[in-house]
Amino acid sequence: MWDASKCDLCGECLAHCRYVDYDNEQAARDIKLLMEGKEADILKACITCVSCNEYCPTGADPSNLIFKMQEKTGASPVVAAMKGFLDMMRDGLEGRKGVGQVIPGDPDKPALSFDSFEFSQFPEGTLDSALFKGLTVVRGPEYMSLVGCVHMGGESFVEKYARDVIGRLADVGKDIVYIHNEGYLLAHLKAKELGIEVPFRYQHLFEYMLDFLKANPGSITKLNKKIAYQANCAIRWYRQQDTWLAEVFDQLGVECPPRKYSGVDALCCGGPILGANKELAVDLQERNIKDALECGAEALITICPMCDMVLGRPTSQFGLPKIFITDLVRIALGEIPWPGQ
Ligand code: SF4
Ligand code: SF4
């Protein structure tokens, strides 16, 4: 959450933003305008990648300030392009559209939350995997993770609906495993920022997968592959996720060779700007995939259904197999083959 008291107007955040060509002075000027509640050019240029948070040396959370002002002013092509989708999400959260689904599982096992995603947005057979055997499953617009609304000009959704979403998940009466990291971040970071108590235990998908892999070492065949990994923007809010994922990769016998676009320098999947600036989105995707191929990766691993969807066409165009993270586990379990085999 934006904290003006931590900002010394150094300008580091926007001076490093790869979507504008600012020096520190211009960057500080834009941040100051936003702090005063005024429009600034960055609102139009920002693709909501969250990187500036990592460039800010004081933890002031500049991307949150930018997202708030994008919503308030409407001065962002992302806001205009995604308005219809955001309205649909609002209807779902307020109970005017869609019905949440709870599919009961074993009494002693946790529930797997799909947030607002459709099951069809995950690879076919995901729920047939031994990885998720016996889990209760919950999904629907009422369980939306909310933090991703910043890509649609809906930053205020977190504050407005977080308590309701957490309350509905509490009503499921189980520990929750979040298959999408934005749900985890709502419980683990945003709820705390807003002073909302989370009355259930919860796990990130990567934590859950690690527990499973360590408990079932005999079921896994090491893959011995080189892969590249597509971080979604939500990784930038909580870097511990990278550490968990590195352990998962280690358990599965996959290696991430060094590449240009990784860590802080990772490229956005292009999803938030596909409707507002397709040319830039396609350029980002192509640079990203070429970089993955150049580092010797045999596949690109996605962890977010949106990244997975928007990278489907370009990865196939460049002949780079794309594998959703849960399918990588399924391959190691022998449930499905490596793509193309
Ligand atoms: S969120 Fe990304 S695109 Fe937006 S200002 Fe920050 S670094 Fe630039
Ligand atoms: S938000 Fe952080 S990086 Fe940006 S100007 Fe303020 S202190 Fe500097």
Side-chain angles (χ1 to χ4, degrees), residues 13-14 16-20 42 45-53 55 62-63 66-67 70:
C13 48
L14 303 189
H16 283 88
C17 170
R18 67 171 83 230
Y19 306 102
V20 289
I42 192 64
C46 171
I47 73 158
T48 69
C49 76
V50 192
S51 308
C52 45
N53 268 20
Y55 302 132
S63 69
I66 292 163
F67 303 155
Q70 282 184 320

Side-chain angles (χ1 to χ4, degrees), residues 209-220:
M209 286 197 304
L210 266 179
D211 287 350
F212 176 88
L213 293 170
K214 286 176 182 170
N216 297 279
S219 309
I220 296 296

Side-chain angles (χ1 to χ4, degrees), residues 2 6-14 27-28 31 35 52 55-62:
W2 167 244
K6 289 185 179 169
C7 179
D8 58 10
L9 292 175
C10 66
E12 283 298 299
C13 48
L14 303 189
I31 292 290
M35 285 169 78
C52 45
Y55 302 132
C56 171
T58 68
D61 201 346

Side-chain angles (χ1 to χ4, degrees), residues 17-252:
C17 170
R18 67 171 83 230
Y19 306 102
V20 289
D21 187 18
Y22 282 7
D23 57 18
N24 287 60
E25 205 178 309
Q26 192 174 357
R29 228 174 9 244
D30 267 23
I31 292 290
K32 188 161 184 296
L33 283 169
L34 299 179
M35 285 169 78
E36 291 166 352
K38 297 176 186 158
E39 278 197 31
D41 290 344
I42 192 64
L43 298 181
K44 290 193 186 75
C46 171
I47 73 158
T48 69
C49 76
V50 192
S51 308
C52 45
N53 268 20
E54 299 202 283
Y55 302 132
C56 171
T58 68
D61 201 346
S63 69
N64 186 252
L65 172 67
I66 292 163
F67 303 155
K68 279 181 196 301
M69 289 301 289
Q70 282 184 320
E71 182 176 11
K72 182 178 165 194
T73 64
S76 158
V78 172
V79 176
M82 301 300 275
K83 184 180 178 309
F85 193 70
L86 197 66
D87 287 345
M88 199 170 75
M89 291 294 123
R90 186 183 291 106
D91 283 349
L93 284 158
E94 295 182 0
R96 288 189 294 276
K97 202 169 191 175
V99 182
Q101 279 176 278
V102 179
I103 304 171
D106 296 349
D108 59 336
K109 294 213 169 169
L112 183 66
S113 170
F114 278 73
D115 301 349
S116 56
F117 290 104
E118 303 281 351
F119 296 132
S120 59
Q121 291 176 282
F122 292 81
E124 197 180 337
T126 295
L127 287 173
D128 300 334
S129 175
L131 180 62
F132 299 126
K133 192 168 184 301
L135 268 62
T136 291
V137 175
V138 54
R139 68 150 296 279
E142 303 93 321
Y143 302 104
M144 190 184 190
S145 60
L146 305 171
V147 298
C149 291
V150 299
H151 303 311
M152 306 166 220
E155 192 283 331
S156 66
F157 273 44
V158 177
E159 196 166 343
K160 198 166 176 191
Y161 300 113
R163 196 174 294 279
D164 294 344
V165 170
I166 298 285
R168 288 177 195 128
L169 284 171
D171 289 345
V172 176
K174 296 217 158 233
D175 296 351
I176 300 290
V177 177
Y178 289 103
I179 198 167
H180 185 230
N181 58 357
E182 290 179 358
Y184 176 89
L185 293 178
L186 183 71
H188 196 67
L189 295 185
K190 298 293 176 179
K192 276 191 197 124
E193 287 178 3
L194 295 167
I196 298 169
E197 189 206 346
V198 181
F200 50 83
R201 288 185 302 181
Y202 53 86
Q203 260 194 322
H204 193 291
L205 173 70
F206 302 163
E207 290 179 288
Y208 175 81
M209 286 197 304
L210 266 179
D211 287 350
F212 176 88
L213 293 170
K214 286 176 182 170
N216 297 279
S219 309
I220 296 296
T221 304
K222 299 265 186 189
L223 297 171
N224 298 318
K225 298 278 189 187
K226 289 184 178 173
I227 51 110
Y229 144 60
Q230 175 65 42
N232 69 345
C233 54
I235 289 286
R236 295 183 184 274
W237 274 304
Y238 191 55
R239 279 289 171 189
Q240 172 65 35
Q241 298 172 92
D242 276 339
T243 307
W244 290 327
L245 191 57
E247 284 182 61
V248 169
F249 287 157
D250 194 41
Q251 293 282 330
L252 295 174

Side-chain angles (χ1 to χ4, degrees), residues 308-320:
D308 192 73
M309 183 181 73
V310 300
L311 290 171
R313 185 198 53 78
T315 47
S316 138
Q317 189 184 336
F318 282 89
L320 178 65

